[in-house]
Amino acid sequence: YRQTMSTEKAAHEILQVITGSEFSDKLYHTLEQMTASLSKMHSNGGTFEWKNSSLVDALIAGDWVLLDGANLVSPSVLDRLNPLLEEGGCLVLDERGFVYGHPVVIK
């Protein structure tokens, strides 16, 4: 709410400097639209929604996964996949955040 009010205040201050022109009308309209967008974004809380990848979905379902061209991926990706290839392997989804106080682990 505070961010929206400061944007609205800034819009009015800009219009006080530029007055009486077609440009100021267009600018005011644009700033009103931006303020409405910010208000909508802020009211939604700017939430993040996690979406599983095809790999994660396959691991959860217990399906086979074919990694064609795995030798071409970057070393950081291979480092993430290596724990899956070990006996009793798992994948820790740190990026997802904590669920019930713990990171999500796919076994």
Side-chain angles (χ1 to χ4, degrees):
Y1 180 74
R2 180 178 290 160
Q3 184 179 14
T4 304
M5 289 303 291
S6 63
T7 305
E8 199 170 319
K9 183 178 177 182
H12 288 293
E13 288 177 6
I14 290 170
L15 289 175
Q16 286 175 355
V17 174
I18 308 169
T19 57
S21 70
E22 184 179 326
F23 175 75
S24 66
D25 292 338
K26 288 181 181 179
L27 178 63
Y28 182 74
H29 180 68
T30 301
L31 290 173
E32 278 185 329
Q33 288 176 333
M34 289 172 61
T35 302
S37 294
L38 284 172
S39 296
K40 185 177 180 183
M41 240 180 11
H42 194 274
S43 67
N44 290 340
T47 59
F48 173 80
E49 182 180 350
W50 176 266
K51 298 270 187 190
N52 286 338
S53 67
S54 300
L55 173 67
V56 172
D57 285 338
L59 293 171
I60 291 170
D63 294 337
W64 282 83
V65 176
L66 173 64
L67 301 174
D68 189 28
N71 58 323
L72 302 174
V73 301
S74 69
S76 61
V77 172
L78 289 176
D79 284 343
R80 290 290 304 212
L81 295 176
N82 276 337
L84 286 171
L85 304 175
E86 296 174 2
E87 189 174 330
C90 67
L91 178 65
V92 180
L93 300 177
D94 292 322
E95 297 85 357
R96 183 174 178 177
F98 290 102
V99 177
Y100 301 114
H102 303 284
V104 176
V105 179
I106 311 249
K107 296 182 180 184

